[in-house]
Amino acid sequence: MAQVAEHAPVSLSEGTQTVYDHYRRQVRTRRIYTLIALVVFLAILAASLNFANAANSGKFFERLPYFFDFLRSFVPRDPLEIFRAMFDLASPYADGSQKYDYTSERIWVTDWFYVPNYVYQLIVTINIAIVSTIVGATLAFLLCFFASTNLMGAGIARFVVRRVLEVLRAFPEIVVAGLLTAILSIGPIAAIVAVSLHTIGALGKLFYEVVENADMKADEGLRAVGANWVERVRFGIVPQVLPNFVSYTLLRAEINVRASTIIGAVGGGGIGEAFRLSIGRDHAAKTYAIVLMLLVTIIAVDQFSAWLRRRLVGKQAFDFGA
Amino acid sequence: MAQLALNDAERQALLEAYPAVFVKSFWQRYGLAVGAGVVAVYLVFCFFFFNVGAVLSDGRWDRAGAYLQDWYSWRAQPRLKLAAGQPVDVQWNNRAQYRTDGPIDWLVPASDGSVLVTFGSEADSLVVRSDVVTVNLNGQPHDVAVGASGVVLPEDAPEAMTLKGDKVLVDFGFAGSAEIRSSQVYIQRRFLGWANFWFDTKSAFWGMSLPQLVSTIVVGERIDPQMSNLQLAWRDFLGNGVWQHADIISKLIQTIVMAFVGTLLGTLVAAPLAFIAARNITPNRAANWVMKRTFDLLRSIDMLIWALFFTRSFGPGPIPGIAAIFFTDTGALGKVYAEALENVDDKEREGVKSVGAHTLEVQRYGVVPQVLPVFISQSLYFWESNIRSATVIGAVGAGGIGLKLLEAMKTNADWDKVAYMVVLILAVVFIFDNISNALRSRLIGSRH
């Protein structure tokens, strides 16, 4: 919106003057609306902040000076300790307590070869993410064709599938994990099911939007030679949408690594669980070890997924689609 | 598809004319099959890695049915204490669904000290006396003798009655079950719906049917002279001791507030920083690099870690939640914004520059109008997804409804409360999805 000059140019015909005045008036109304919206917005923000502060157990400004206390109290005795915790090496500070006892957590594969506990937990978490992505993407792939307008018209199947996907997407993951934990006891399967269900909902939506944007000429061609619905989907739609599907699935795999960490922390096993326990028990070195490993893993997964997407589908893969 | 009849010459001609279609490399031909095979092998590996078979067969699947029934029905669980020569004493657990003094139609004490418990009809019932419990199943009576030495399963007991350890279990299907021990009979009586959802037993409105309730509120005399019946009903509803509506609603608002404020602060901070991170806007490579790595760092430390960290600093509540969302979103939005800025059309900036605007004006009139729709649309997307994330990080102490959900699930008895909160969360997510969609299409037209 360019700035409007304060004074109209000198010689305007009557008609032009009317148009010009009209424009000025419109600009003014728009500005007033923007201002009102802004004020309302700020009021809501202030009220929200106030509400959050009142509901919190520690007040913001009271707690602010103690902000770094937690970090200060959370210093490992020496930096090498972090790596000892990470690789389950014996600590010189070992005093029999759990805090410095790393070696007992080793997971022995053979008599002389062990996997450090946290590395193993990380592998569990990543496997949870991969399995749930595979399961979720497969089911989303099967469902998405029934949810797209161009393939299903306005049928009841489309309506039902869309609602199912919406519920799967919005259903709180911790409830699924919690219910399964109560039945199966704490472990990765609860996390796999919870993350998979969410993945179906999230990917299903992105997938059917891609399908709806597909070029229907190929479909028409197949219809003309008498292909049935499955053949039309298989040969007309799938080849067009597959690159986008792959790209979205890889993006989801990235997100699922985080999701399985979080679900782990509320009872789904893996590194999330280990992390919550170590932070709750004040095990400084162990906590830093996990943070470091998570950081490296998530960056590595992001980079690998970005690289793979670039290789497989080119630059279009970088359109946003979380 | 119908087969075409081709002769050899035609076939040969087609093969030569379109080699790209008919002659494919190994990967083009079998790539998908190989990929599917690898995935299948991996899934088999994971089946053993996670020990799926053993975990599934060790699962307490009988619980699953009971827990799921708890979502849409409720159980009354009285204990009938038995003592020789004494009348049967009915005791309730703390989650009282009935008034202590009121009559209950399925649990009727008789004048001889026995208690009649009906499960749907007279044909399925228990007559509990201090020395013998008569179990009526489909109209057939079976006597279970109860003594200090234990309980005795009658010889003609049907399948629904089983002896487990020192107790006799009687299964009445959905209507409930009973556990007969030497000292007590433990009853589970199941009903559809959520008990006392609107008013608890302390409220004057307890037990009213809907027409009764409406007429009391609209035309009835004031129950409490201090306030109107509507006010009283509202107060009693919010103060429901079992369902804790006031608490749950305030926790839900906390979740919404966390997502809203966190995303908004993230947007407000990320937007100006993204101008520094964008190569075409800030020509300083070092500044670009530092800014982008800052975004990466903020984003790659998980929301969970931020939430736990801030919970330790500020105590449990919505502030750690806001801060966690704010930090991760600043990183994520900053990255997305910077990419949007790097994709702007430079012609508009040149145009604004050519009429003599200084740097700030170039950004304001040459860049902002182009990227504003993208910025707003991305922020709305993040807001939507953060309402969901806020539920989960709430469970580790960052305020909101997540912790309430986790607490309700840990008791393994409050699944109806879990269902209630799930319904609320689903409603909130749908409402805010729609608000966000409406805002998005209003602000930026239909192209996103």
Side-chain angles (χ1 to χ4, degrees), chain A residues 1-3 41 44-45 48-49 51-53 55-61 63-64 66-68 70-71 73-74 120 123-124 126-128 130-131 134-135 163 166-167 169-180 182-185 188-189 192 198 205 222 225-227 231 234-235 242 257-259 261-263 265-266 272 275-276 279-282 290-291 294-295 298-299 302-303 318 320 322, chain B residues 1-2 32 39 42-43 45-46 49-53 55-56 58-61 63-65 67-68 71 250-251 253-254 257 260-261 264-265 268 296-297 299-305 308-310 312-320 322 327-328 335-336 339 361 364-365 369 378 381-382 384 388 391-393 395-396 401-403 405-406 409-410 412 415 418 421-422 425-426 429-430 433 437 440:
Chain A
M1 193 188 348
Q3 216 151 18
F41 202 62
I44 295 176
L45 179 61
S48 304
L49 282 171
F51 171 80
N53 196 28
N56 211 58
S57 69
K59 301 290 166 276
F60 183 74
F61 289 107
R63 291 295 309 164
L64 201 56
Y66 308 101
F67 187 70
F68 291 103
F70 166 53
L71 279 187
S73 70
F74 230 64
Y120 177 76
I123 294 173
V124 169
I126 292 175
N127 272 313
I128 292 173
I130 298 176
V131 171
I134 292 175
V135 174
R163 294 297 89 74
E166 261 169 31
V167 170
R169 203 161 56 231
F171 204 92
E173 285 157 304
I174 50 169
V175 175
V176 181
L179 184 64
L180 282 168
I183 297 165
L184 299 174
S185 80
I189 293 179
I192 291 178
H198 185 80
K205 181 190 185 221
L222 283 162
V225 296
E231 284 165 343
R234 165 67 187 85
F235 297 106
L242 212 53
V257 172
R258 292 153 201 265
T261 314
I262 296 187
I263 291 297
V266 293
F275 180 61
R276 189 175 54 90
I279 209 169
R281 290 170 184 163
D282 269 327
I290 297 176
V291 170
L294 277 180
L295 204 63
I298 288 174
I299 292 173
D302 281 11
Q303 295 298 326
F318 291 84
F320 179 76
Chain B
M1 273 181 272
L32 201 62
V39 168
Y42 173 73
L43 288 179
F45 160 75
C46 280
F49 180 77
F50 290 128
N51 214 354
V52 177
V55 173
L56 288 187
D58 289 349
R60 305 279 302 270
W61 293 103
R63 285 181 183 175
Y67 288 163
L68 285 175
W71 283 55
S250 101
K251 290 278 159 47
I253 296 174
Q254 278 184 26
V257 162
F260 171 70
V261 178
L264 185 64
L265 292 180
L268 292 179
D296 285 350
L297 187 75
R299 200 179 56 229
S300 53
I301 297 182
D302 206 274
M303 200 183 275
L304 174 77
I305 299 177
L308 284 167
F309 169 64
F310 287 117
R312 292 298 282 265
S313 309
F314 291 107
I319 289 181
I322 290 175
F327 273 60
T328 27
K335 181 197 166 179
V336 178
E339 279 168 9
E361 282 175 332
R364 167 67 186 82
Y365 298 108
Q378 298 298 1
Y381 272 126
F382 275 80
E384 263 177 60
R388 290 188 278 269
T391 322
V392 185
I393 57 166
V396 297
I401 203 158
L403 199 59
L405 263 177
L406 209 65
M409 286 190 295
K410 275 194 177 149
N412 272 345
W415 290 103
V418 173
M421 285 186 260
V422 166
I425 293 171
L426 288 180
V429 169
F430 287 145
D433 274 9
N437 277 332
R440 207 166 25 234

Side-chain angles (χ1 to χ4, degrees), chain B residues 18 22 46 66 112 150 197 242 257 300 337 376 410 426 432 434 438-439:
Chain B
Y18 305 106
F22 294 106
C46 280
D112 62 347
F197 178 75
V242 182
V257 162
S300 53
Y337 287 177
I376 292 175
K410 275 194 177 149
L426 288 180
F432 281 88
N434 283 322
L439 280 178

